[in-house]
């Protein structure tokens, strides 16, 4: 998150920050992200939140189950999520930010 914020500010990209870890995220928005990028990129299965779930919740992930997990556990969403018009960027990748935002 720090690198993304620093890049956005350093490149004078106007942005709005929504802290979905504190404020939550609507299921419709997560569904949109999953339709666009796939649940495998939206749900952070390598993060501590996901790994701390019981095995039964970690198995047989479908798009609908991924949405439910992301809504219930917003910390399990890959961060940051950057929506730029029709472009969706997940995680910080400087070259992806540069090509999408310049």
């Amino acid at each position: 998150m720090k690198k993304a914020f620093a890049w956005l500010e350093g490149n004078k990209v106007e942005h709005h920050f929504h802290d979905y870890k504190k404020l939550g995220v609507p299921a419709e928005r997560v569904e949109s992200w999953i339709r666009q990028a796939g649940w495998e990129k939206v749900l952070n299965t390598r993060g501590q939140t996901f790994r701390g779930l019981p095995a039964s919740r970690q198995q047989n992930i479908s798009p609908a189950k991924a949405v439910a997990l992301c809504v219930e556990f917003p910390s399990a969403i890959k961060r940051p999520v950057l929506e730029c018009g029709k472009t969706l960027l997940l995680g910080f990748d400087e070259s992806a930010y540069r090509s999408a935002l310049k």
Side-chain angles (χ1 to χ4, degrees):
M1 295 284 294
K2 288 180 184 178
K3 288 180 182 180
F5 283 134
W7 191 93
L8 291 168
E9 290 166 11
N11 287 277
K12 296 179 178 35
V13 176
E14 188 176 324
H15 59 282
H16 167 75
F17 174 66
H18 175 85
D19 190 346
Y20 53 78
K21 285 175 68 173
K22 291 182 181 176
L23 303 172
V25 62
E28 299 78 26
R29 176 149 280 150
V30 177
E31 288 169 355
S32 172
W33 296 341
I34 288 175
R35 275 194 306 277
Q36 218 173 331
W39 71 263
E40 299 88 344
K41 292 192 177 177
V42 175
L43 181 64
N44 184 5
T45 58
R46 295 168 54 189
Q48 208 170 5
T49 300
F50 184 82
R51 290 184 315 199
L53 295 174
S56 61
R57 305 239 13 221
Q58 294 179 9
Q59 298 168 348
N60 302 316
I61 303 291
S62 66
K65 187 173 180 179
V67 168
L69 288 171
C70 289
V71 169
E72 185 177 353
F73 305 101
S75 295
I77 299 171
K78 176 101 171 158
R79 293 185 310 265
V81 177
L82 193 62
E83 296 174 304
C84 322
K86 294 185 180 192
T87 302
L88 180 69
L89 301 172
L90 296 159
F92 177 71
D93 177 339
E94 185 173 351
S95 63
Y97 273 45
R98 193 177 314 110
S99 64
L101 300 170
K102 289 248 173 173

